Amino acid sequence: KLPSGKPGELEPLPVVLRHVLESLQATLAQSGGGEESREDLHRFAVQRLVTGRPVDSALGIMTFMRVPDEVVYAGMAEGLAAIEREVASRGSDDDRVCLRYILHARTGD
């Protein structure tokens, strides 16, 4: 539940982000997370909001990928097989380990 202001009024971003962080901390405390988990939570805290030009956002991510649209659409149509092929051919060892974990391991393994 977000902090409530006047109906139809948006809360300032810092207030919303603070509330989100407090909610995450409360959830962590309820789940019995240890000090290690608390450190992980702070590692992902928002330090700075990076914004850009609306026109760049409207163009989408494909303009930044620097590959022809046809290549992206072909990969999207192929699905998971395209992701596995790209990670196998261009990914780092860490990328391959992470993908293998995401696809085949149980949480916590």
Side-chain angles (χ1 to χ4, degrees), residues 18-30:
R18 189 175 316 108
H19 181 73
V20 169
L21 181 58
E22 288 168 358
S23 296
L24 288 171
Q25 289 171 328
T27 301
L28 179 64
Q30 289 174 356

Side-chain angles (χ1 to χ4, degrees), residues 74-76 78-92 95-105:
M76 290 169 67
E78 194 177 345
L80 184 57
I83 295 170
E84 291 175 307
R85 185 178 61 250
E86 184 169 349
V87 169
S89 66
R90 297 188 179 137
S92 67
D95 294 333
R96 287 185 276 283
V97 168
C98 289
L99 183 61
R100 193 170 27 255
Y101 174 79
I102 290 166
L103 297 177
H104 306 292

Side-chain angles (χ1 to χ4, degrees), residues 101 104-109:
Y101 174 79
H104 306 292
R106 294 182 324 189
T107 303
D109 284 352

